[in-house]
Amino acid sequence: MDSFIIRGPSRLEGSVRISGAKNAMLPLMAATILTGGQCILDNVPDLRDTRTMMKVLETLGIPSSLEDGVLSIDAASVTSFEAPYDLVRTMRASIYVLGPLLARFGKARVSMPGGCAWGPRPIDQHLKGMMTLGAKIRIDHGYIDAQADRLKGAEVILTMPSVGATVNIMLAASLADGETVLENAAREPEISALAGALRSAGVEIEGDGTSTIHIQGRDSIEPFRHAVIPDRIEAGTYAAAALITGGDVTLENCRPDQMHSVIDKLEACGAEVTVTDDTMRVVGPKKIAPVDIDTGYYPSFPTDMQAQMMAVLCIADGASTIVEHVYPDRFTHVPELRRFGAKITLDGHVAVVSGVKKLEGAPVMATDIRASSALLLAAMVAEGETKVLRIYHIERGYEDIENKLRALGADITRVTD
Ligand code: EPU
């Protein structure tokens, strides 16, 4: 198992190219199942999650290949309708194959994802959506067994604006008979990106980016070629790296217009942020000002940036409060950050971070994608050596992170234990 050794403190300087967004790419990969043809995705990041989704598709009989950011997927035929536990347990988004398999073939068997390190993470909204479109669902030995004749468009009202349920329902509705109206839909940019790809494949979709999405189902869907949007969370993480190290970093190939809530907090911390349509320069202050953060659904502050901003606030000049509204238990990074000497108290879903003058390098353990990037941020300002164990979590969501950080001036090396 690989680890990172980081020696701090360091100051990051230079520019970094932001990769395609993991959370936009995974729905697009699942969407190819609807087409029965050869699809191409551009700007695809080579991540552990990309490879896991390729394996999920391969298990279904759909071959794919990834070279230089171009992912070719041949969804002409499907030979299995089952996404097995071994893959779903390593990546919950494997459940995205449920909607398209059901819509195109009338059957799907997908392992239940189960809970994760930060809570139960139910999928009831996905299942409610499929049933409202006419599917019969049975839970059988830990698997979702779904059957349907042709799905029928319907009104689906989500209890909360779940990104995953919105994706699954949009995919299923695209091949359903008639119109689906999805109420209380997620408004994340990744949803609009999926809508854009489906539109390019001939599906009529309106309202993406708002809480009500209309999808006019079709009898068949054209194969498509589509580019993955830049990753706003990877961009936010490098912006936080510039902030915490008092550095000067320019993010290239990013979408500042999709990052307003993050930019607001960077500026409130004292960073100087300059944007163009597709770049963002972040200059960190001498002293980081404390800020209060409430996570929420887009366009609120993303839960996927909570851990990274907590790392930044560990060395702020005063106390900050972070309230996690999306995943109340998403705090596995707190005990690890304390190992650097951070002062954090946790009461339910509220964390109070009292800034300290300096952090000290320590052995720490990555627990999920974003928690692990928070540990890298802390390690870069901590004095001395940090060893981050279990970095496979980082590799799920950050393309080539050690080379990108090293090019910006971080002292980071990969070691194999
Ligand atoms: N929820 C339910 N029932 C459901 C679905 C969701 O109760 O059927 C709840 C969840 O427990 C949570 C809230 O609704 O409290 C929102 O969950 P959502 O379904 O939106 O999350 P997700 O689709 O499972 C995606 C991202 C996550 C990101 C969340 C929130 C992907 C592949 N994953 O997850 O990304 O944190 O939206 O924005 O898009 C990451 O990239 O590190 C990551 C965890």
Side-chain angles (χ1 to χ4, degrees), residues 124-264:
D124 55 302
Q125 301 299 305
H126 299 242
L127 302 187
K128 178 173 91 176
M130 297 306 132
M131 288 191 284
T132 311
L133 297 183
K136 290 198 172 58
I137 305 246
R138 213 162 48 95
I139 304 300
D140 173 39
H141 294 281
Y143 276 73
I144 304 156
D145 223 324
Q147 307 271 344
D149 297 327
R150 178 138 193 231
L151 295 176
K152 266 200 167 350
E155 183 181 44
V156 182
I157 305 172
L158 295 180
T159 308
M160 76 290 293
S162 154
V163 173
T166 301
V167 166
N168 237 333
I169 295 163
M170 283 170 75
L171 293 171
S174 296
L175 271 184
D177 181 19
E179 188 183 51
T180 295
V181 182
L182 181 53
E183 299 281 5
N184 199 21
R187 293 184 286 158
E188 270 68 3
E190 292 74 20
I191 298 295
S192 299
L194 172 63
L198 290 171
R199 266 196 291 271
S200 75
V203 184
E204 276 174 49
I205 301 187
E206 276 173 23
D208 49 286
T210 76
S211 299
T212 306
I213 305 179
H214 293 255
I215 304 136
Q216 196 65 50
R218 288 177 61 91
D219 293 338
S220 64
I221 292 177
E222 298 294 314
F224 59 87
R225 179 168 193 156
H226 208 76
V228 178
I229 56 170
D231 195 317
R232 63 195 168 96
I233 305 301
E234 189 200 17
T237 304
Y238 284 101
L243 174 58
I244 196 172
T245 65
D248 180 351
V249 175
T250 299
L251 316 177
E252 283 163 5
N253 184 45
C254 65
R255 286 284 301 270
D257 59 316
Q258 298 175 345
M259 298 176 62
H260 289 302
S261 59
V262 171
I263 293 173
D264 283 352

Side-chain angles (χ1 to χ4, degrees), residues 22-23 26 92-93 96 118 121-126 160-165 188 297 303-304 326-327 330 369-370:
K22 165 178 88 69
N23 293 347
L26 294 170
R92 300 174 60 83
Y96 286 168
W118 21 278
R121 297 189 74 184
I123 49 156
D124 55 302
Q125 301 299 305
H126 299 242
M160 76 290 293
S162 154
V163 173
E188 270 68 3
Y297 302 111
T303 172
D304 289 346
V326 181
Y327 293 109
R330 193 176 193 174
I369 307 175
R370 312 303 168 188

Side-chain angles (χ1 to χ4, degrees), residues 77-93:
S77 59
V78 163
T79 52
S80 156
F81 305 92
E82 179 170 319
Y85 178 61
D86 271 355
L87 292 172
V88 180
R89 75 185 166 83
T90 60
M91 190 187 70
R92 300 174 60 83

